[in-house]
Amino acid sequence: MSADTTTGAGTAGLTARFANWNVAIIAVTVVVLIVAAATVNNFGTSQNFSFLILDLLPIALVALPMTLVIVTGEIDLSVASTLGLSSAVMGSLWNSNQPIETIIPLCLLLGALLGAVNGFFVTVLGLPSLAVTIGTLALYRGLAFVVLGDGAVADFPALYTDWVTGNLGGTAIPNVLLVIVALAVVFGVVLHATPVGRAVFAVGASEQAARFAGVRPGRLKFWLYVVSGLVAGLAGVLWTLRYSSARADNGAGLELAVVAAVLLGGVSIFGGKGALPGVIAGVVLLASLQNALRLSDVSNEALNVVTGVLLIVSVLAPNLANAVRGSVQRRRHRITPVV
């Protein structure tokens, strides 16, 4: 084999490696963090680090089950409304003098039930998940306002609010980071190291082929929607305790940030492809950009524009990366040894 051929194959392999979207998004996230710390006032402070973790908490939590749902080729746009309804019910029950130890499990159960409703419509009735979850997005948000109205409920127990907003042992590491890490490990192991995870990828790649292999796609998707609702309910509880304020509009618009983070992390909107490390990087990237822009006094309207742009980029960029990788692989196949 000639030197030119060897060099060409080596360069092609290197290009293919860097075309991997997960590697790329992690690298971009690191660069953004470094640049923001160097150029944005107060971004690199320990106090802002705590705020950043608290800001990304609901996005990260909801993005974990959303990753599995999207890998199967479905979507759940009702998660933010589930969060809001969980918060509203939490406030209503607290107003009724119910103990917080009873309220929190009930809110988690509510989230699971709301997810089960989505799962029923999608898997039992066979309705498209996009249409179903857009409908329940409006339904659940409307129910939140029916339950609590336009007002807010505050004065939740300091023991719980202090834990959610507090740090570990006087460090800058928020307590809630433990929740994110624990759930990320659980979802990561399930997706990448268990038969359930293999079934998730199989269903997303080809539902018919997965069925022939013994997978029951309907049952799998149903329980993924239940888990998605459960985690969204948990996010509603933590959101309420962080701000010590239960409101029907809590989490409004969060679903766009979650979907943007998941797709930005390399999960294919068409299903069958994705990895949790890339999703975590996507969450951190999105939250860091929003945090840096807020510190730069950028308006909320501009933040919405940034989220929209990232959502579009998250759909286009992985497809372009796949096209580049495919082109590189075809080029490598055309390289023949010189005798």
Side-chain angles (χ1 to χ4, degrees), residues 247-273:
R247 295 181 57 90
D249 60 354
N250 278 350
L254 184 74
E255 65 279 342
L256 294 181
V258 171
V259 173
V262 172
L263 299 185
L264 199 61
V267 177
S268 172
I269 190 64
F270 304 108
K273 297 179 182 178

Side-chain angles (χ1 to χ4, degrees), residues 17-288:
R17 179 179 300 177
F18 280 96
N20 184 287
W21 184 251
N22 285 314
V23 174
I25 196 65
I26 292 172
V28 169
T29 301
V30 171
V31 170
V32 168
L33 288 172
I34 293 173
V35 171
T39 60
V40 179
N41 289 335
N42 298 320
F43 182 87
T45 63
S46 59
Q47 183 180 27
N48 188 63
F49 173 78
S50 298
F51 286 144
L52 176 60
I53 298 299
L54 290 171
D55 286 343
L56 66 78
L57 168 67
I59 301 175
L61 289 181
V62 178
L64 294 173
M66 181 74 81
T67 298
L68 276 67
V69 171
I70 295 180
V71 169
T72 63
E74 305 294 348
I75 198 166
D76 185 359
L77 296 178
S78 68
V79 286
S81 297
T82 299
L83 183 159
L85 182 52
S86 172
S87 178
V89 169
M90 188 175 179
S92 178
L93 291 175
W94 183 247
N95 257 351
S96 301
N97 298 317
Q98 298 298 317
I100 194 71
E101 293 79 11
T102 300
I103 293 173
I104 292 176
L106 286 176
C107 289
L108 299 183
L109 177 61
L110 172 65
L113 290 175
L114 297 177
V117 171
N118 289 333
F120 174 81
F121 283 119
V122 173
T123 64
V124 177
L125 300 185
L127 300 177
S129 58
L130 179 63
V132 167
T133 57
I134 287 177
T136 53
L137 177 155
L139 173 62
Y140 297 164
R141 186 66 69 181
L143 289 174
F145 279 99
V146 170
V147 169
L148 199 60
D150 295 329
V153 176
D155 298 324
F156 290 95
L159 176 65
Y160 290 86
T161 57
D162 288 348
W163 187 87
V164 171
T165 58
N167 295 337
L168 288 169
T171 68
I173 302 174
N175 294 322
V176 292
L177 186 60
L178 297 176
V179 179
I180 300 174
V181 171
L183 287 180
V185 170
V186 170
F187 278 94
V189 170
V190 169
L191 181 61
H192 297 295
T194 68
V196 173
R198 291 192 288 273
V200 167
F201 283 108
V203 169
S206 173
E207 189 168 318
Q208 184 176 7
R211 190 176 286 110
F212 285 140
V215 177
R216 298 175 64 179
R219 184 172 67 175
L220 176 64
K221 291 180 182 179
F222 175 83
W223 286 108
L224 288 180
Y225 275 108
V226 172
V227 173
S228 179
L230 173 65
V231 175
L234 172 62
V237 170
L238 294 177
W239 182 299
T240 303
L241 293 175
R242 179 196 174 181
Y243 296 103
S244 193
S245 176
R247 295 181 57 90
D249 60 354
N250 278 350
L254 184 74
E255 65 279 342
L256 294 181
V258 171
V259 173
V262 172
L263 299 185
L264 199 61
V267 177
S268 172
I269 190 64
F270 304 108
K273 297 179 182 178
L276 213 55
V279 172
I280 298 299
V283 170
V284 175
L285 175 59
L286 180 62
S288 299

